[in-house]
Amino acid sequence: MRGKRLCIVGGVAGGASCAARARRLDEKAEIIIFERGSFVSFANCGLPYYVGDVIRREEHLLVATPEMFRQRFNIEVRLHSEVVGIDRDGRRILVRDHQTGRHYEETYDALVLSPGSSPVRPPIEGLDLPGVFFVRTIPDSRAIRRMIEERNARTAVVVGGGYIGIEMTENLVRRGLHVTVVEMQRQLMPLCDPEMVWPLQEVLVEKGVEVRLGAQVERIEEAGAQEVTVRLRSGEGIRTPLVIVAVGVRPEVQLARDAGLALGQLGGIRVNDRMQTSDPSIWAVGDAVEVFHVITGRQTLLPLAGPANRQGRIAADVICGRDVRFRGVQGTAVVGLFDQVLAMTGPSEKTLKALGLWDEPYGCEKVYLHPGHHASYYPGAETIAMKLIFSRKDGKILGFQAVGKKGAVRRTDVIAMAVQKGGTVFDLEEAELCYAPQFGSAKDPVNLAGMIAANVLRGDVDVVHAEDMERPPEHVLVLDVREPFEFRRGHIPGALHIPLGFLRQRMEELPKDKEIWAYCYVGQRSYVAARALRQYGYRAKNLSGGYRSYEIWRKAVGKAP
Ligand code: FAD
């Protein structure tokens, strides 16, 4: 008896993982992948590193080939084959073979759409000029490499400071190009909080990259045979042989829309938690679908490889009769820039505020800390800047961002799992994690984040933040408890300076009718100070993350050079 026929549109992250899983579950099924491009299952995420020559050979980007699919999985891959129509009533798809120009039909029992997303084309002139590129496919990155070599490019402009823009910038710098990044928002990585992104910007500047924030490209003009001019709204023109446009992606939904499948409000294909579309015989996965965000409670688009792979697997499970559900997303992501790494899980403060969720329902609070990635007594400890966002109501962890040279990803992954399990800051306090001095600390940064947040929730200490320090109210006295040499290097204007070691002797200098906002360099000594002061009857609060967070925040929001 013939098994069911599973047709899959798109043969990369979601499509390929769906096909392979379906075969593992059902030896009899007939599985066909239709892929418009000339590669199946390639590593899109590796493309910037191929441009940068970190990945030296194009074939290293190929995770699997049609031959491998055939031999290992008995799956048929049809390359250069675009699915251009779906006849839902007849359960048929119309396929265009790009090599022959021929159209033909295939029937299906189950159809999976994993068409991905396409780069957003901003409404500016000149995007089709030679030297202007988007980065989506192996041929795109091949063409960029060729352009660099043929034109002997010395400069490039990257439009967009999101993660693809940042990765492309790193790789172009690696190839010796002088790069200008143009970003419309006032910060790089616009979904993150500005103070957490700041270290990446500092790295770019160190590497000689020009960063134009709050700058918009108006058009791209021809400038001789080998170059173009990127014209900004400010009037500035940047002449260069190479422009990379990376201003986001948009779900590819034309096929689904033409077939009358329901789309969501954000423009992605609407699916249920079994990845099933509005037609019960058609599933959709990956960048093309809208998914439920477990923290914001809203639908979202999350064009990342991890969700696409897991969704592909879930679609295959459901098609093969298993009762599994997709849990939704929380937005765990990472970007590297030379030796700095920024990792995150859950929404940022900016996002929670923009969605109107900061005060209600969550009653959000945040803490900052700057622990070493391993024990400070063991050589080579690097600082991680961390920000934990949680609910004041029940301690539920809502979001986390970490940036540093080492250890940021591990902490983010641990906290991501806690978020997925609905964990609280009290769980982080008690998390049992690996420790030997070269790997971590007996109180791991994850534990510390939980302890600091739990201290706030238990009422042991209250926190204020860098932005509160800009203009402290009349009833507040700002107290610096660092050592004199630290105070001399820089301090918050108007702060009273009493080093922690002298605080008990000089406590009578502090007014009891004022609130005391204490700070030190990272918030640890001032926490000790705040605890002592409270026990002597003062109303004391601690600047979360200390002077270090204050300095970074001021730079990140443009209040300091
Ligand atoms: P894709 O993997 O894009 O596959 C869709 C395929 O469908 C395409 O090959 C397309 O040709 C084909 N197709 C579309 N329509 C049709 C049709 N009608 N008929 C036949 N074929 C069709 N994510 C991360 O998590 N981490 C990273 O570091 C990361 N880096 C990235 C770097 C770059 C440069 C890019 C472009 C993406 C990166 N991503 C990263 C995102 C990740 O690659 C995507 O989220 C993931 O590939 C989405 O999987 P998908 O199956 O939905 O779509």
Side-chain angles (χ1 to χ4, degrees):
M1 200 180 73
R2 163 177 106 79
K4 67 166 77 76
R5 176 180 259 214
L6 169 58
C7 291
I8 299 174
V9 181
V12 190
S17 83
C18 179
R21 174 71 172 170
R23 170 58 71 228
R24 290 193 294 272
L25 297 183
D26 186 349
E27 213 15 69
K28 290 209 189 87
E30 188 184 353
I31 305 172
I32 311 172
I33 296 176
F34 297 87
E35 169 54 54
R36 182 175 59 192
S38 36
F39 300 96
V40 71
S41 197
F42 70 91
N44 342 38
C45 311
L47 297 178
Y49 303 93
Y50 177 51
V51 170
D53 223 19
V54 179
I55 298 172
R56 285 264 156 102
R57 293 158 65 132
E58 196 173 292
E59 55 270 31
H60 291 162
L61 294 167
L62 304 178
V63 181
T65 58
E67 293 70 41
M68 190 192 286
F69 270 105
R70 186 170 42 76
Q71 287 170 355
R72 202 174 280 180
F73 298 106
N74 185 25
I75 290 170
E76 184 185 349
V77 175
R78 298 191 194 164
L79 297 179
H80 313 287
S81 301
E82 181 169 3
V83 176
V84 292
I86 305 172
D87 165 13
R88 287 168 46 197
D89 295 333
R91 289 205 194 162
R92 273 193 299 260
I93 51 175
L94 181 64
V95 185
R96 176 179 153 80
D97 180 333
H98 282 282
Q99 282 184 318
T100 61
R102 184 174 76 94
H103 283 81
Y104 62 94
E105 288 185 344
E106 286 290 359
T107 57
Y108 63 84
D109 297 308
L111 177 66
V112 177
L113 307 180
S114 189
S117 52
S118 47
V120 169
R121 288 178 69 89
I124 54 178
E125 272 172 49
L127 291 178
D128 294 321
L129 288 172
V132 181
F133 294 95
F134 296 85
V135 194
R136 180 178 183 189
T137 61
I138 290 180
D140 291 338
S141 50
R142 192 191 293 153
I144 296 168
R145 279 173 68 108
R146 195 181 317 119
M147 185 64 84
I148 293 172
E149 281 147 27
E150 281 175 3
R151 291 191 171 179
N152 194 18
R154 294 265 177 262
T155 67
V157 173
V158 173
V159 184
Y163 79 89
I164 294 181
I166 285 182
E167 290 178 351
M168 287 304 297
T169 300
E170 171 181 332
N171 282 289
L172 294 170
V173 170
R174 211 174 250 143
R175 296 205 51 161
L177 276 75
H178 177 80
V179 183
T180 305
V181 177
V182 181
E183 166 57 55
M184 197 165 80
Q185 308 266 342
R186 300 223 62 89
Q187 68 169 86
L188 300 169
M189 296 290 293
L191 283 179
C192 299
D193 290 324
E195 72 279 16
M196 302 310 292
V197 174
W198 182 253
L200 298 191
Q201 185 162 333
E202 284 189 320
V203 173
L204 286 181
V205 173
E206 258 170 44
K207 295 282 178 189
V209 173
E210 313 245 352
V211 184
R212 302 273 197 282
L213 296 178
Q216 233 172 314
V217 175
E218 197 168 62
R219 60 182 184 280
I220 302 173
E221 303 157 354
E222 258 179 308
Q226 301 269 311
E227 290 194 321
V228 294
T229 298
V230 179
R231 183 75 56 198
L232 305 187
R233 275 247 162 104
S234 60
E236 184 188 358
I238 310 165
R239 207 174 153 142
T240 179
L242 178 65
V243 181
I244 306 290
V245 183
V247 295
V249 295
R250 185 171 288 141
E252 279 222 13
V253 294
Q254 192 62 45
L255 184 63
R257 183 187 285 125
D258 290 349
L261 296 177
L263 302 183
Q265 286 190 339
L266 303 171
I269 303 172
R270 192 188 294 163
V271 288
N272 61 19
D273 58 2
R274 294 161 182 219
M275 308 314 301
Q276 213 161 15
T277 66
S278 53
D279 180 326
S281 302
I282 304 179
W283 283 255
V285 301
D287 288 4
V289 303
E290 285 186 14
V291 277
F292 180 72
H293 194 294
V294 295
I295 300 293
T296 67
R298 318 256 169 113
Q299 292 298 109
T300 191
L301 297 166
L302 188 69
L304 289 176
N309 273 275
R310 297 198 309 281
Q311 292 160 7
R313 185 179 154 98
I314 286 172
D317 278 6
V318 174
I319 291 165
C320 295
R322 296 198 173 184
D323 184 17
V324 290
R325 317 262 163 144
F326 184 61
R327 294 179 179 190
V329 298
Q330 61 199 57
T332 306
V334 61
V335 63
L337 179 63
F338 298 102
D339 58 356
Q340 284 287 341
V341 179
L342 170 64
M344 71 217 77
T345 189
S348 60
E349 176 177 354
K350 244 174 96 172
T351 303
L352 285 162
K353 286 185 171 162
L355 294 176
L357 301 171
W358 184 262
D359 297 317
E360 284 300 329
Y362 285 128
C364 290
E365 183 54 276
K366 58 179 176 174
V367 291
Y368 294 90
L369 59 159
H370 303 270
H373 89 287
H374 64 46
S376 57
Y377 66 82
Y378 189 85
E382 297 283 355
T383 303
I384 316 173
M386 295 171 38
K387 173 176 185 174
L388 180 69
I389 303 173
F390 54 97
S391 166
R392 268 193 175 271
K393 295 182 178 170
D394 54 7
K396 185 178 157 107
I397 309 158
L398 303 170
F400 177 74
Q401 295 160 71
V403 58
K405 290 185 177 167
K406 290 183 179 160
V409 172
R410 181 174 131 201
R411 276 61 193 211
T412 307
D413 277 343
V414 169
I415 294 180
M417 199 60 225
V419 170
Q420 192 174 109
K421 300 303 287 180
T424 65
V425 300
F426 308 110
D427 295 318
L428 300 186
E429 255 188 315
E430 288 301 323
E432 188 175 314
L433 303 170
C434 297
Y435 166 60
Q438 67 274 44
F439 301 115
S441 298
K443 277 186 199 144
D444 189 86
V446 168
N447 299 128
L448 289 175
M451 288 169 185
I452 294 170
N455 285 340
V456 174
L457 293 185
R458 293 196 184 102
D460 291 340
V461 70
D462 217 343
V463 282
V464 289
H465 299 290
E467 56 271 30
D468 303 320
M469 287 292 184
E470 268 307 282
R471 218 168 277 120
E474 277 293 298
H475 67 276
V476 165
L477 179 129
V478 177
L479 175 67
D480 186 323
V481 299
R482 295 174 303 160
E483 295 303 310
F485 77 92
E486 296 176 273
F487 187 78
R488 277 196 300 275
R489 269 192 208 150
H491 54 265
I492 295 175
L496 176 69
H497 179 220
I498 305 179
L500 178 61
F502 295 92
L503 187 62
R504 288 180 182 83
Q505 291 100 301
R506 294 178 53 187
M507 211 171 266
E508 69 283 0
E509 290 176 37
L510 299 173
K512 280 234 158 123
D513 60 340
K514 289 204 169 193
E515 222 172 66
I516 314 285
W517 289 2
Y519 74 90
C520 61
Y521 188 52
V522 292
Q524 195 180 11
R525 285 169 288 170
S526 48
Y527 163 57
V528 175
R531 283 298 304 153
L533 287 169
R534 284 178 68 145
Q535 291 175 64
Y536 286 102
Y538 290 91
R539 286 176 298 135
K541 293 184 176 174
N542 187 19
L543 171 61
S544 187
Y547 191 69
R548 189 177 177 125
S549 281
Y550 171 79
E551 274 191 313
I552 294 173
W553 178 81
R554 295 196 84 230
K555 286 182 192 166
V557 300
K559 292 194 184 281

